[in-house]
Amino acid sequence: MATPVRTTENPRGTDSNRMTLARHILESQREHPRARGELSVVLLQLAFAAKVFSHALGRAALAGQLGSTGERNVQGEATKKLDVFGNDTIVDAFARNELVAAIVSEEMTEPRQIACGTRASYVLCVDPLDGSSNSDVNGVVATIFGVYRPPRDVGAAATVERLQSGRDQVAAGYIMYGPSTVFVYTTGSGVHGFTLDRDIGEFLLSHPDIRCPQQGPYYSANLANVPEWDESTREFIRHLAARSDRAYSLRYSGALVADVHRILLDGGIYLYPADRRHPGGKLRLAYECAPLAFVVEQAGGSASAGMSSVLDTPFESIHQRLPFAAGSRDEVAMFDRFIRDRC
Ligand code: AHM
Ligand code: MG
């Protein structure tokens, strides 16, 4: 008689011993004996909001949730119904607890004060729907988050005014809603990616300890803006495109996270430089550039604002913008050289 094959997998193919996001977060917390668990709960609430949003995105076309609201956000951009839904989902996940002192969002002109009068240590900065132009065409979209612990007086709650720079982040990451929903995060000890198993409603570890290759084959930028760029940025892109060995390929999806995720895994450079229409850059520092810079640097890559560090850029306002380049160390260093040599 044949010996039965023993397997730890359940009939649906999900190994019950697999690392869940919750277990991973709690095990990481144990590495910090003084941690009180609040950051872990913030991350778990973000994962909960991500599941709600992921489900809604899958049904958006059927539920009348595509298209614009007819309003414009603080940046003057047309607001999509899904921008509003994504923002409400995040705010709802934090509104009735005292996990964060305030939420800064791309979709809110002013910070939303949450835990006034408490000792909440964190400020959550979020872009609920990154790549919103993709949302109506079934393209990849994402949520970006940075959890900041700004300096504060003993016993007082954190305040948005005290945010100094991306270095105040204690955790950052993104949730990418593509063919699968992926939660990528760092708390400063490497970068880890989890894929949502929709059958059991859990994020399971699928990309442990992500390392960004030192160099890579992709560049990602909106080349329609080339005429608007300065000469050094144009020269950099010409240099990549003109390589006789065809070392580089162009990939651009219109969703920052989707493009950065590819580069995080396969290597290369993502670029949204300043241009004539966006002299200070287009992407927002607090909830787009700084969280992704934290992730990319934790994975061994680099992030640059051209002549300066993204993470060291002082915060002047919550919606401030920044030129942004991120990815493999070699390509980002090459970009910096082109910029420097022209100055
Ligand atoms: P959004 O948050 O409103 O979607 O804006 C940010 C997006 C990024 O995801 C993307 O990389 C970039 O803006 C695309 O801009 P463009 O259409 O100018 O290429
Ligand atoms: Mg955005």
Side-chain angles (χ1 to χ4, degrees):
M1 198 171 110
T3 318
V5 178
R6 286 174 45 158
T7 172
T8 54
E9 292 193 359
N10 71 22
R12 285 180 149 170
T14 304
D15 181 346
S16 57
N17 203 24
R18 283 188 75 155
M19 178 66 82
T20 62
L21 176 63
R23 197 171 117 210
H24 195 272
I25 289 171
L26 293 174
E27 287 187 8
S28 308
Q29 181 193 318
R30 283 200 205 104
E31 290 165 20
H32 305 275
R34 294 174 60 192
R36 291 180 301 175
E38 288 165 2
L39 179 59
S40 298
V41 186
V42 170
L43 291 169
L44 290 170
Q45 277 301 96
L46 282 165
F48 170 67
K51 289 180 205 171
V52 173
F53 197 27
S54 175
H55 181 255
L57 285 167
R59 294 194 43 77
L62 304 174
Q65 281 296 317
L66 298 184
S68 300
T69 61
E71 315 264 299
R72 292 191 173 268
N73 69 10
V74 60
Q75 342 266 347
E77 299 154 345
T79 302
K80 297 277 174 77
K81 291 179 196 167
L82 284 170
D83 283 316
V84 175
F85 187 88
N87 192 65
D88 290 351
T89 303
I90 301 273
V91 170
D92 284 352
F94 289 93
R96 277 171 284 281
N97 45 52
E98 297 185 342
L99 293 169
V100 300
I103 300 175
V104 169
S105 165
E106 178 174 333
E107 298 308 323
M108 301 190 299
T109 310
E110 298 296 331
R112 177 71 56 89
Q113 304 298 337
I114 302 284
C116 289
T118 74
R119 294 185 199 174
S121 305
Y122 303 113
V123 171
L124 175 64
C125 295
V126 64
D127 178 358
L129 184 70
D130 170 57
S132 46
S133 75
N134 283 3
S135 62
D136 291 344
V137 296
N138 202 27
V140 175
V141 293
T143 300
I144 309 174
F145 62 89
V147 184
Y148 292 73
R149 185 166 53 204
R152 63 197 172 111
D153 296 329
V154 180
T159 59
V160 171
E161 296 69 39
R162 293 217 167 181
L163 287 175
Q164 295 184 323
S165 72
R167 298 272 175 215
D168 288 343
Q169 290 175 107
V170 289
Y174 53 83
I175 303 106
M176 187 169 123
Y177 311 98
S180 56
T181 294
V182 178
F183 188 108
V184 173
Y185 88 108
T186 184
T187 53
S189 308
V191 178
H192 310 282
F194 298 78
T195 299
L196 182 61
D197 183 327
R198 295 182 201 280
D199 286 345
I200 59 171
E202 285 281 358
F203 282 105
L204 300 175
L205 184 63
S206 50
H207 297 75
D209 196 18
I210 295 171
R211 304 303 296 165
C212 181
Q214 181 161 345
Q215 60 176 124
Y218 297 115
Y219 63 98
S220 189
N222 186 344
L223 297 191
N225 294 335
V226 168
E228 318 265 317
W229 291 349
D230 63 24
E231 188 48 30
S232 47
T233 310
R234 282 205 288 258
E235 255 183 41
F236 171 68
I237 288 293
R238 273 200 294 268
H239 173 76
L240 299 186
R243 288 268 299 245
S244 55
D245 57 358
R246 306 275 313 268
Y248 292 99
S249 292
L250 170 67
R251 295 285 185 274
Y252 191 70
S253 74
L256 170 63
V257 165
D259 293 323
V260 169
H261 186 71
R262 174 193 294 277
I263 280 159
L264 195 65
L265 299 184
D266 291 344
I269 184 166
Y270 175 91
L271 199 63
Y272 210 115
D275 58 42
R276 271 205 292 274
R277 279 178 308 151
H278 308 104
K282 177 189 176 188
L283 301 176
R284 275 56 56 118
L285 173 57
Y287 43 79
E288 292 179 324
C289 305
L292 293 180
F294 190 20
V295 168
V296 170
E297 293 197 359
Q298 275 295 312
S302 300
S304 166
M307 295 288 283
S308 56
S309 144
V310 173
L311 288 175
D312 289 324
T313 302
F315 281 8
E316 286 159 9
S317 66
I318 56 171
H319 296 295
Q320 95 192 55
R321 298 170 189 258
L322 199 70
F324 185 63
S328 296
R329 276 171 186 259
D330 285 3
E331 278 77 17
V332 175
M334 196 196 309
F335 172 66
D336 284 347
R337 270 198 310 278
F338 271 80
I339 302 287
R340 205 177 39 238
D341 291 351
R342 279 247 156 201
C343 288

